[in-house]
Amino acid sequence: MSAGDDRDPLRFAHYDPLDERRREALFSLGNGVLSWRASPPETARALGPQRPDDHYAGFYRAGWYDEAPRPAAPRQPGGEVTALGALVNLPDPFGLTLRLGDGAWFDLDGVERLDYRQCLEPRLGLLWRRLRFRLDGHELTLHEERFVSMAEADLAVLRWTLEASTPLPAVTLRATLDGAVENALVDRDRAYEGRRLQVHHLEGIGSDALIAAGLHAPERRLALASRTRVPGHSPRWETRRDGQRLVQEACIPWPSEGRLVLEKRVVVQVDDDLPEAPEAACAQVRGRLPDAPYEALRADHQQAWARLWADSPLQTPDPTLQRLLELAAFHVLQAVSPLSIGRDQGLPPKGWQEGYSGQIFWDELFAFPYLSTRFPELARNLLRYRHRRLDKARERARRCGLRGALYPWRSARHGDEETPPYQYNPLSCRWMRDNTYLQRHIGAAIVYDVWQLYLATGDEDLLAGDGGDLVLEIARFWASLAHYDEGLERYVIHGVVGPDEYHSAYPDATEPGLRNNAYTNLMAAWTLQRALDLLARLPAERASALRQRLAVAPEELDAWARIGRRLYLPFREDGVLDQFDGFQTLAPPPCSDLSADHPRLDWFLETRHDTCNRYQATKQPDVLMFRYLFGADELRALFQHLGYPLEEEAGRRTVAYHLARVTHESSLSKMICAGALVDAEPEIAWTCFCQCLRTDVDAPADSGALEGVHLGSLAGSLDVLQRHYLGISPGLDGLRVFPAPPAALPDIALALRYRGQRVEVDLRDRRVQVRLDPAATAPLTLVHAAGRTCLLPGEAWSVQP
């Protein structure tokens, strides 16, 4: 990416049915509550229940999971059954098409397309499409706009404007509400998915279509209302039911002015927001359908987005980079927004889509630095999701004979472990045992989130309240999981899996789990240190109250300090930090060029009855994660606290060793390297950053991008830009400014909040300037390589990296 590059990565100038599913995910719209894939309404089941697989009309409610029992692996013997939480594909209310006279129905895949444009406008929160086509010998132009309202949590709107330069025959309109939908987006997950909704009521009243449905759990209820409007006309709608689809049709003369407008307005509510009786629930959502003009609804929506952009400005003269950064921020704020506050929602890795069943992993770790310094209330709401499941995490630890809180690697509604027992390999058509539930490092990620929010806000109540509960109970877990090894004279942690999911057991082992995964052990030590630091920072009375609430005895604190100083890290004799005990004894990577175009390595090896567990090949570089998460000074202090000197030459060898063995088959891998390598390999870091931003934009049509955008990667790219390249990060003693911009990074300006004060950061002509907002109510301390600087409101300070 270079200044002057005017390509728009968020615009398509042609229609490609083979790429539609990926584009539908890339251009999905949301408001932190609802999520709507960008599937064309005229290719929905408006034309009938049997449609080609080029499109997928997904519509979702954040956090609305189903836990109906499913076979654990239908093609495996034994009849094992599991109940995994899966985000539910809601009824599709957006089906819309038309025909002229008795001609053929308008179908994007069936008409003669003369011109096609599609564009996402992140700053407006709009997706638009312009299509010029020929239908039954007549030329028409369709302009479509759609949005999921950032002003109203339960509202989505679709608008068509059709134009023709010559008179047309009478028009028959068809609108559908499809309740016969399934979860069927991800082919390899279909055994776990399928039909989830149970339709209780389906009704058409004039131009309104209503549906009430439920899930396996009787308390899970949904009601949806859709209204099809034809401004300036009052057509008579006829309704028929086709199974669990509602089909509404109306005939109107083609307007003499040559322009016809159609609108669909959709409202969704769930669970306790609804009365229990299906008919009453439908009546309630119908009453919430807005009567305001389309322009007013759109204006309210855009004003809400304008406020979000004003709180997170980011400008660069490079138009391509500008659009890519906007796309990243746009998708983060579509997954968690001000409308999410007060709702029980986490942050799924693919956004609110069917990828990974919409479950929650650790991806908020990559979003917290960005959210905490711009939208701390959104970050706090994500922590509440974790805190509500604290008792469940305590229960899981007790079942394992441990203390504290053991959070699951994958969670959904209840806080149970949601990792499927098997994963399907589409290359071999066999089922593979999934042991990634042993990723205990999820607890350290939650502590990292708490600490990032505290650094950005200085909120003592966070440490004394929910945040303190999380940090201390997770520290308690690590202390109980670690055990002392007499031979090493250090504490060790066994039976875990690191972020690199390609290694979950030793070759030919009968039990899963690894010994002393470097990332896990270091993060455990860091968590134990943060727990003690947290108590030391609180006033004595509040620290005592927290300890009493959690029954933390003095001897526990002594154990935390002891273990936190003596956890073992698997250094080799040459000073290279290994990924885990025994990694260096594995066979060399099975592919001579790990960056070559080949099938996913774990799938490919399994087709040969082999496994990644045998090889020094990683999906993502666990060891380099340290350099992404922590600044150089903090990382050096952490290693010194553990009694391991962090030697520069050994650090370079460690980086080179792990870079040579990474496949980058995780979407997070390039982003991690973009931040981790900024000092050691700045050119590689910049290349990884550019590739990371384009993960979904440049993805192949049949890649995982069709399941939802890679939200952790997009959020992490914003973090890399701020913390690693501009060098701006909140610290305990002030706002830290240690810039290291890559040579190819163009000028860029952004703003963030630190301890409630707005701070503007500007990279121009290779110089970084930090300015405290004139409206600030307190001075700002900057910590930098030359010492400290105190900024008064309106003052600026700059440095040449």
Side-chain angles (χ1 to χ4, degrees), residues 701-779:
D702 60 350
S703 69
L706 63 84
E707 303 166 13
V709 298
H710 295 81
L711 202 57
S713 180
L714 293 176
S717 65
L718 299 170
D719 175 35
V720 167
L721 177 65
Q722 177 179 307
R723 284 200 305 129
H724 292 278
Y725 296 171
L726 298 181
I728 307 296
S729 61
L732 292 169
D733 49 355
L735 186 66
R736 300 177 62 80
V737 187
F738 291 86
L745 180 66
D747 291 351
I748 199 157
L750 56 79
L752 62 138
R753 302 191 74 81
Y754 174 69
R755 307 291 170 96
Q757 312 282 38
R758 182 182 172 96
V759 181
E760 297 170 357
V761 182
D762 190 356
L763 171 66
R764 184 174 300 177
D765 298 328
R766 316 309 302 158
R767 193 170 189 85
V768 173
Q769 176 181 277
V770 180
R771 178 176 180 270
L772 181 60
D773 190 272
T777 58

Side-chain angles (χ1 to χ4, degrees), residues 79 104 138 284 289 295 348 394 422 431 484 570 575 655 672 687 710 743:
H138 300 277
Q284 177 172 299
L289 285 165
E295 291 76 13
R394 288 166 170 151
Y422 300 92
W431 289 86
Y484 191 71
V655 168
I672 291 167
T687 298
H710 295 81

Side-chain angles (χ1 to χ4, degrees), residues 79-369:
E80 194 174 340
V81 173
T82 187
L84 301 175
L87 192 70
V88 178
N89 188 16
L90 305 185
D92 176 18
F94 299 107
L96 185 63
T97 187
L98 57 89
R99 68 179 178 184
L100 304 177
D102 295 327
W105 291 103
F106 166 48
D107 177 0
L108 179 61
D109 294 305
V111 298
E112 180 185 357
R113 296 180 298 275
L114 305 175
D115 187 43
Y116 182 89
R117 296 286 187 274
Q118 187 181 32
C119 183
L120 178 67
E121 296 289 1
R123 300 200 70 83
L124 302 177
L126 288 176
L127 175 64
W128 61 259
R129 184 175 58 131
R130 184 173 292 112
L131 172 66
R132 190 164 57 88
F133 61 98
R134 187 170 285 116
L135 181 64
D136 286 336
H138 300 277
E139 186 174 313
L140 292 89
T141 299
L142 166 65
H143 181 81
E144 175 187 289
E145 282 188 356
R146 60 170 74 186
F147 62 88
V148 177
S149 177
M150 195 58 82
E152 297 290 340
D154 52 12
L155 177 64
V157 180
L158 170 74
R159 180 181 174 95
W160 275 8
T161 302
L162 287 148
E163 296 177 327
S165 59
T166 60
L168 300 181
V171 179
T172 301
L173 309 176
R174 175 182 285 178
T176 58
L177 169 58
D178 187 3
V181 296
E182 298 183 345
N183 278 39
L185 176 62
V186 185
D187 286 340
R188 67 183 180 279
D189 289 347
R190 286 194 178 187
Y192 291 120
E193 294 289 6
R195 180 90 176 140
R196 292 191 176 274
L197 283 169
Q198 303 164 24
V199 176
H200 300 316
H201 183 74
L202 188 61
E203 180 183 10
I205 303 175
S207 63
D208 297 347
L210 313 172
I211 188 170
L215 300 178
H216 175 73
E219 70 273 15
R220 306 296 272 178
R221 306 187 305 277
L222 172 141
L224 181 152
S226 172
R227 175 171 295 160
T228 305
R229 302 176 73 248
V230 189
H233 301 268
S234 301
R236 179 176 178 273
W237 292 90
E238 295 183 357
T239 300
R240 72 175 188 276
R241 182 166 175 171
D242 178 9
Q244 294 182 334
R245 296 170 63 241
L246 207 63
V247 181
Q248 297 172 297
E249 293 184 1
C251 185
I252 63 172
W254 180 257
S256 59
E257 63 272 23
R259 182 174 180 270
L260 178 66
V261 176
L262 308 175
E263 292 178 13
K264 275 214 166 192
R265 301 176 177 194
V266 175
V267 167
V268 181
Q269 289 187 294
V270 299
D271 299 338
D272 293 341
D273 291 337
L274 296 168
E276 290 189 13
E279 294 84 355
C282 284
Q284 177 172 299
V285 291
R286 185 185 183 213
R288 291 184 61 82
L289 285 165
D291 292 322
Y294 172 81
E295 291 76 13
L297 298 176
R298 184 178 61 181
D300 290 345
H301 163 71
Q302 291 180 345
Q303 286 171 11
W305 265 111
R307 289 191 291 271
L308 292 175
W309 291 117
D311 288 337
S312 55
L314 198 157
Q315 294 292 328
T316 175
D318 184 326
T320 301
L321 180 58
Q322 179 72 34
R323 292 286 273 169
L324 291 170
L325 292 171
E326 286 177 357
L327 178 69
F330 179 69
H331 276 300
V332 171
L333 295 174
Q334 288 197 130
V336 53
S337 81
L339 297 178
S340 307
I341 296 175
R343 302 174 190 271
D344 187 26
Q345 299 171 194
L347 189 69
K350 295 277 191 150
W352 295 112
Q353 302 249 354
E354 290 175 45
Y356 299 119
S357 299
Q359 295 168 357
I360 310 303
F361 293 64
W362 68 328
D363 295 75
E364 71 263 33
L365 173 139
F366 302 102
F368 256 71

Side-chain angles (χ1 to χ4, degrees), residues 258-573:
R259 182 174 180 270
L260 178 66
V261 176
L262 308 175
E263 292 178 13
K264 275 214 166 192
R265 301 176 177 194
V266 175
V267 167
V268 181
Q269 289 187 294
V270 299
D271 299 338
D272 293 341
D273 291 337
L274 296 168
E276 290 189 13
E279 294 84 355
C282 284
Q284 177 172 299
V285 291
R286 185 185 183 213
R288 291 184 61 82
L289 285 165
D291 292 322
Y294 172 81
E295 291 76 13
L297 298 176
R298 184 178 61 181
D300 290 345
H301 163 71
Q302 291 180 345
Q303 286 171 11
W305 265 111
R307 289 191 291 271
L308 292 175
W309 291 117
D311 288 337
S312 55
L314 198 157
Q315 294 292 328
T316 175
D318 184 326
T320 301
L321 180 58
Q322 179 72 34
R323 292 286 273 169
L324 291 170
L325 292 171
E326 286 177 357
L327 178 69
F330 179 69
H331 276 300
V332 171
L333 295 174
Q334 288 197 130
V336 53
S337 81
L339 297 178
S340 307
I341 296 175
R343 302 174 190 271
D344 187 26
Q345 299 171 194
L347 189 69
K350 295 277 191 150
W352 295 112
Q353 302 249 354
E354 290 175 45
Y356 299 119
S357 299
Q359 295 168 357
I360 310 303
F361 293 64
W362 68 328
D363 295 75
E364 71 263 33
L365 173 139
F366 302 102
F368 256 71
Y370 173 78
L371 292 175
S372 296
T373 54
R374 287 163 181 81
F375 306 100
E377 66 282 4
L378 304 187
R380 187 66 181 263
N381 199 64
L382 293 176
L383 286 179
R384 292 190 185 103
Y385 171 86
R386 297 298 190 181
H387 192 266
R388 290 186 185 101
R389 287 150 183 81
L390 180 56
D391 284 342
K392 178 67 71 171
R394 288 166 170 151
E395 177 188 321
R396 295 186 70 247
R398 288 195 298 270
R399 288 203 305 265
C400 294
L402 301 167
R403 302 188 68 196
L406 169 55
Y407 276 87
W409 173 235
R410 297 173 64 160
S411 62
R413 180 186 174 201
H414 296 296
D416 297 312
E417 179 60 72
E418 303 287 354
T419 301
Y422 300 92
Q423 294 284 358
Y424 183 66
N425 183 348
L427 300 182
S428 68
C429 299
R430 290 193 292 261
W431 289 86
M432 305 163 57
R433 192 78 199 188
D434 188 344
N435 296 311
T436 58
Y437 68 92
L438 291 172
Q439 293 191 71
R440 309 307 193 194
H441 63 84
I442 180 67
I446 295 170
V447 174
Y448 186 84
D449 298 341
V450 173
W451 203 248
Q452 285 295 310
L453 184 56
Y454 172 67
L455 290 176
T457 63
D459 185 0
E460 184 182 291
D461 291 341
L462 173 68
L463 298 189
D466 293 359
D469 292 345
L470 291 168
V471 172
L472 267 59
E473 287 288 41
I474 292 170
R476 179 176 265 165
F477 163 75
W478 285 124
S480 69
L481 184 63
H483 65 276
Y484 191 71
D485 185 298
E486 295 286 352
L488 294 172
E489 296 184 335
R490 281 186 175 271
Y491 288 88
V492 295
I493 295 176
H494 292 174
V496 300
V497 172
D500 169 39
E501 298 173 346
Y502 275 3
H503 296 89
S504 61
Y506 289 99
D508 304 318
T510 58
E511 294 293 329
L514 304 169
R515 299 185 300 273
N516 297 312
N517 172 260
Y519 177 79
T520 301
N521 284 20
L522 189 68
M523 293 305 293
W526 178 83
T527 297
L528 291 166
Q529 294 175 33
R530 292 292 72 71
L532 297 172
D533 194 9
L534 181 154
L535 290 170
R537 291 186 176 280
L538 284 173
E541 288 187 5
R542 304 198 79 177
S544 177
L546 176 60
R547 287 178 52 189
Q548 290 180 21
R549 186 168 74 244
L550 302 180
V552 178
E555 53 269 27
E556 272 196 274
L557 299 180
D558 293 339
W560 295 0
R562 185 171 62 253
I563 297 169
R565 287 193 303 268
R566 297 296 297 169
L567 265 165
Y568 170 75
L569 294 179
F571 279 99
R572 297 179 353 192
E573 290 184 2

